[in-house]
């Protein structure tokens, strides 16, 4: 296994010296392994794995060498997957993904289980997951639990059938705009009005999924796209700056929160709720997700179940303690926490 790992590193780095630096070993140790593999495969296949190209040049992999590198990657990958699956089943490792807006929520739940995890030497790994990848990461078994948002339908969604869902809240879709009321009357507007409004849209993510569902995969050719953005925060700044006059799709929770004077991102912008008249009614579901049936296959003391219960307690605390002075659906506390700048109040 160590020889295969070394072979892969030489292939990626180009030289034994480069591989040694990546592996934190002496160049002579790496070169010795390469020489041994070359000798063995010359006898087995009639061709070495690697040919030297001269001082300072990257080595050249033969056909046999390239084939073995691919085989090595697959072999080591399967071994690592098997080890991780065993650690997951035994409760030694727990991998959690979170979007930016749910990180503080997960942190609160993490505090509830941190001492037990420490005593039991449970390795909790936390990583950033983009909203568009929330369910994909679970399907690929890259994470065991993920906190985030998905677009769904009020009557149910077949896509969620493969997951256990802890629903924290649902939100409709609204617009944040710097257009005047003469240009875009409020407080509501039909979703069909999006065809004629100048829009600031995300390249991917929840709202791109909403537009795709309502207007089809070629929605960019059907709508007036005034600007395409990589992050929602940039969209807020763009509209607040006045450089562009238009609208941006957001969850109703974000739009409602924009009316709170403590929230920095919404200043100077107006919220208009969308009334759907275009396609299926859509909602944004915020919550925690795991693969269906996986928690039930573990005992109550498994770290996945412990963290799931802690998230439920954290959700109850938020609902019990948070009271925001905005009408309608309560703005999401995570979004408020990431938008509120105390120095500006």
């Amino acid at each position: 296994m160590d020889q295969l790992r070394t072979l892969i590193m030489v292939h990626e780095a180009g030289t034994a010296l480069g591989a040694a630096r990546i592996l934190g070993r002496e160049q002579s140790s790496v070169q010795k392994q390469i020489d041994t593999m070359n000798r063995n495969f010359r006898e087995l296949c009639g061709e070495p794995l690697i040919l030297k190209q001269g001082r300072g040049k990257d080595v050249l992999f033969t056909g046999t060498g390239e084939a073995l590198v691919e085989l090595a990657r697959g072999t080591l990958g399967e071994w690592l997957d098997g080890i991780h699956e065993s650690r997951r089943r035994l409760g030694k490792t727990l991998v959690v993904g979170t979007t930016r807006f749910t990180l503080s929520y997960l942190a609160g739940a993490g505090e509830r289980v941190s001492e037990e995890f420490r005593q039991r030497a449970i390795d909790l790994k936390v990583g950033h997951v983009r909203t568009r990848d929330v369910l994909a990461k679970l399907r690929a078994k890259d994470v065991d639990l993920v906190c985030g948002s998905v677009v769904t339908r009020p009557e149910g969604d077949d896509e969620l059938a493969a997951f256990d869902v802890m629903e924290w809240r649902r939100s409709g879709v609204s617009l944040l705009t710097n257009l005047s009321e003469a240009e875009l009357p409020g407080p509501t507007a039909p979703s069909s009005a999006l065809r004629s409004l100048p829009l600031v849209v995300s390249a991917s993510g929840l709202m791109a999924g909403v537009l795709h569902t309502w207007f089809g995969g070629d929605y960019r050719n059907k709508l007036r796209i005034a600007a395409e953005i990589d992050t929602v925060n940039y969209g807020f700044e763009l509209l607040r700056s006045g450089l562009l006059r238009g609208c941006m799709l957001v969850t109703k929770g974000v739009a409602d929160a924009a009316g709170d004077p403590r929230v920095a991102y919404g200043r100077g912008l107006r919220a208009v709720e969308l009334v759907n008249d275009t396609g299926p009614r859509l909602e944004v579901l915020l919550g925690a997700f795991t693969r269906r049936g996986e928690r039930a296959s573990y005992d109550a003391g498994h770290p996945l179940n412990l963290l799931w219960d802690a998230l439920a307690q954290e959700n109850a605390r938020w609902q019990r303690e948070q009271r925001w002075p905005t009408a309608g659906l309560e703005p999401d506390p995570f979004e408020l926490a990431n938008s509120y700048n105390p120095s500006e109040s």
Side-chain angles (χ1 to χ4, degrees), residues 22-249:
I22 296 173
L23 295 169
R25 290 162 52 180
E26 295 293 330
Q27 179 182 359
S28 59
S29 172
V30 171
Q31 190 61 56
K32 182 177 180 181
Q33 285 187 314
I34 294 301
D35 292 342
T36 299
M37 285 187 284
N38 263 347
R39 182 170 59 254
N40 291 339
F41 275 86
R42 184 180 286 108
E43 295 176 359
L44 287 170
C45 303
E47 182 178 49
L49 303 177
I50 298 171
L51 300 174
K52 293 182 179 180
Q53 292 288 90
R55 188 176 183 84
K57 294 183 179 181
D58 287 356
V59 296
L60 175 66
F61 275 72
T62 64
T64 301
E66 292 286 354
L68 187 61
V69 166
E70 290 305 307
L71 181 61
R73 285 198 175 107
T75 300
L76 291 178
E78 290 175 4
W79 271 83
L80 290 173
D81 289 345
I83 291 170
H84 180 66
E85 187 63 34
S86 295
R87 288 180 61 84
R88 175 190 288 123
R89 178 175 52 81
L90 296 172
K92 297 298 184 182
T93 299
L94 186 65
V95 183
V96 180
T98 174
T99 60
R100 178 194 169 202
F101 289 148
T102 56
L103 181 57
S104 58
Y105 201 95
L106 177 63
E111 290 180 2
R112 299 175 183 271
V113 297
S114 60
E115 181 59 25
E116 181 165 355
F117 278 26
R118 186 189 65 79
Q119 292 180 1
R120 291 170 55 183
I122 295 169
D123 185 15
L124 176 63
K125 300 180 183 296
V126 179
H128 176 236
V129 173
R130 294 188 178 277
T131 301
R132 64 175 179 264
D133 297 327
V134 165
L135 299 183
K137 289 286 186 180
L138 278 173
R139 291 192 194 94
K141 293 191 174 183
D142 293 334
V143 296
D144 303 309
L145 181 152
V146 65
C147 302
S149 301
V150 297
V151 175
T152 186
R153 304 183 184 188
E155 65 273 15
D157 196 322
D158 292 341
E159 188 179 25
L160 294 180
F163 306 97
D164 288 338
V165 181
M166 182 192 300
E167 183 176 321
W168 296 336
R169 59 161 288 176
R170 286 177 181 257
S171 176
V173 181
S174 294
L175 292 174
L176 275 182
T177 183
N178 59 7
L179 296 175
S180 68
E181 291 196 18
E183 296 170 291
L184 176 59
T188 64
S191 56
S192 57
L194 295 176
R195 296 181 184 275
S196 59
L197 293 171
L199 299 177
V200 175
V201 301
S202 300
S204 59
L206 286 179
M207 294 304 120
V210 169
L211 293 176
H212 185 282
T213 301
W214 282 348
F215 300 102
D218 61 340
Y219 66 86
R220 287 179 176 81
N221 297 323
K222 298 177 180 178
L223 304 175
R224 290 178 58 192
I225 307 300
E228 193 159 339
I229 57 175
D230 291 328
T231 67
V232 175
N233 284 339
Y234 183 75
F236 294 143
E237 294 170 4
L238 184 61
L239 290 175
R240 287 204 315 268
S241 72
L243 290 172
L244 180 147
R245 296 188 59 76
C247 314
M248 181 170 66
L249 266 73

